[in-house]
């Protein structure tokens, strides 16, 4: 497995280049923002990331229709999408998996139905706009926490609704489940529970930030065990590292030069 700044390997399927594309791109287009002599920065951006998979998530004014337009423009340059559905009114991470406000009162069975319908709507809308969907991520960094639920077996039941919507949409689209921090020691258990629940998915994905998430040797060992044990593809879905320890914005740095994990 090779992990560079923007490169990830789906083991052992194919190379995937992943870059988040958000509403900022469309804001530049709507406000006719230009950079130097470039006539269209939006076109330049899509040309530059051609060959990468892109994702878009909630926050700001990045709604489904903005994501669909991003998908349409990406397809123009031959790019497939990794659609990251976070099932929250704002972005989701290991600490925040807030259920959308319109789903707050739902019981478990009703929530399953809403997840199915919402997933189907997202995929149909992007596809009808001209987007080419190659992979769908059901949830974002769902470390035994998803849509307000904290029981892993119940989470898998919710996952299954999203997975089924994807299979019903297009069986050739890969399904990913995404977790964060392979150094926690929990990944084997997550994979085991998903297997016990007969979850129908293709890719076990992880976030990996080397200054927080341990060594690349551990990352490789953890993902290889899951790939070999459960016959799944594995993938680093998020990664980054600092290129300088200097202060560039007057806000404190998340990682400093003196950090114990600043070893690169």
């Amino acid at each position: 497995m090779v992990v560079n700044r923007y490169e990830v390997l789906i083991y052992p399927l194919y190379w995937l280049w992943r870059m988040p594309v958000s509403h900022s791109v469309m804001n530049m287009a709507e406000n006719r923002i230009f950079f130097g002599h470039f006539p269209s920065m939006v076109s330049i951006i899509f040309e530059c990331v051609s060959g990468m998979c892109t994702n878009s998530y909630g926050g700001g004014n990045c709604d489904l229709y903005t994501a669909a337009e991003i998908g349409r423009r990406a397809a123009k340059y031959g790019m497939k999408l990794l659609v990251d559905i976070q099932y929250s009114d704002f972005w989701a991470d290991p600490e925040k998996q807030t259920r959308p406000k319109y789903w707050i009162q739902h019981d478990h069975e009703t929530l399953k139905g809403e997840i199915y319908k919402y997933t189907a709507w997202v995929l149909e809308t992007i596809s009808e706009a001209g987007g080419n969907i190659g992979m769908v991520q059901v949830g974002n960094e769902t470390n035994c926490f998803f849509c307000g639920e904290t029981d892993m077996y119940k989470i898998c039941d919710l996952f299954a609704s999203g997975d089924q919507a994807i299979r019903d949409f297009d069986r050739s689209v890969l399904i990913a489940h995404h977790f964060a921090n392979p150094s926690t020691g929990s990944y084997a258990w997550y994979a085991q529970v998903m297997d016990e629940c007969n979850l129908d998915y293709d890719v076990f994905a992880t976030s990996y930030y080397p200054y927080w998430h341990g060594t690349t040797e551990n990352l490789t060992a953890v993902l290889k065990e899951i790939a070999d044990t459960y016959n799944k593809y594995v993938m680093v879905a998020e990664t980054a590292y600092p290129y300088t320890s200097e202060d560039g914005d007057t806000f404190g740095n998340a990682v400093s030069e003196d950090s114990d994990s600043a070893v690169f």
Side-chain angles (χ1 to χ4, degrees):
M1 175 176 295
V2 178
V3 182
N4 294 327
R5 188 174 183 186
Y6 292 120
E7 297 175 83
V8 294
L9 178 64
I10 299 180
Y11 176 89
L13 181 59
Y14 54 74
W15 283 99
L16 168 69
W17 295 63
R18 182 183 189 268
M19 175 180 176
V21 176
S22 73
H23 65 280
S24 300
V25 175
M26 303 312 300
N27 284 346
M28 286 192 290
E30 292 167 1
N31 291 287
R32 299 181 60 78
I33 295 174
F34 304 103
F35 293 78
H37 64 279
F38 293 116
S40 173
M41 192 61 185
V42 173
S43 295
I44 295 297
I45 288 171
F46 281 107
E47 288 177 17
C48 287
V49 302
S50 179
M52 300 181 188
C53 281
T54 65
N55 80 313
S56 189
Y57 54 80
N61 61 353
C62 186
D63 59 13
L64 174 57
Y65 299 106
T66 302
E69 176 60 15
I70 290 170
R72 184 189 69 80
R73 295 186 183 215
K76 177 181 177 181
Y77 293 95
M79 289 184 285
K80 288 189 175 183
L81 301 180
L82 191 171
V83 180
D84 180 357
I85 307 177
Q86 305 207 5
Y87 303 93
S88 183
D89 289 332
F90 205 60
W91 67 64
D93 61 36
E95 305 299 324
K96 300 187 297 294
Q97 297 283 339
T98 307
R99 186 181 297 190
K101 62 183 179 180
Y102 292 115
W103 294 356
I104 290 292
Q105 302 303 321
H106 290 340
D107 60 24
H108 184 79
E109 291 302 315
T110 304
L111 181 58
K112 286 173 57 179
E114 290 299 321
I115 288 173
Y116 180 95
K117 289 187 290 185
Y118 180 74
T119 304
W121 178 53
V122 167
L123 302 183
E124 290 165 2
T125 300
I126 293 174
S127 180
E128 288 171 2
N132 186 3
I133 300 170
M135 185 186 302
V136 180
Q137 187 175 298
V138 178
N140 192 76
E141 297 188 327
T142 54
N143 291 15
C144 201
F145 196 18
F146 174 67
C147 224
E149 180 59 67
T150 58
D151 181 306
M152 192 63 191
Y153 289 90
K154 291 182 179 179
I155 288 172
C156 285
D157 200 33
L158 298 176
F159 281 166
S161 291
D163 295 349
Q164 188 60 56
I166 298 163
R167 293 292 188 232
D168 290 345
F169 168 75
D170 185 342
R171 298 195 66 83
S172 70
V173 171
L174 295 176
I175 298 171
H177 288 289
H178 178 207
F179 304 93
N181 193 355
S183 69
T184 61
S186 300
Y187 278 24
W189 181 69
Y190 296 154
Q192 176 186 326
V193 174
M194 290 193 289
D195 184 65
E196 291 174 5
C197 294
N198 296 312
L199 202 62
D200 180 17
Y201 74 106
D202 306 293
V203 183
F204 188 104
T206 184
S207 293
Y208 176 67
Y209 296 95
Y211 38 88
W212 292 325
H213 295 165
T215 66
T216 54
E217 289 80 9
N218 180 70
L219 167 71
T220 300
V222 168
L223 294 186
K224 187 176 187 303
E225 180 182 3
I226 291 170
D228 292 344
T229 302
Y230 301 105
N231 194 30
K232 300 297 181 183
Y233 301 121
V234 299
M235 166 185 168
V236 175
E238 292 183 28
T239 190
Y241 51 80
Y243 66 92
T244 179
S245 60
E246 295 181 5
D247 181 12
D249 56 10
T250 73
F251 290 92
N253 292 336
V255 180
S256 71
E257 188 175 18
D258 298 327
S259 171
D260 290 340
S261 54
V263 294
F264 32 86

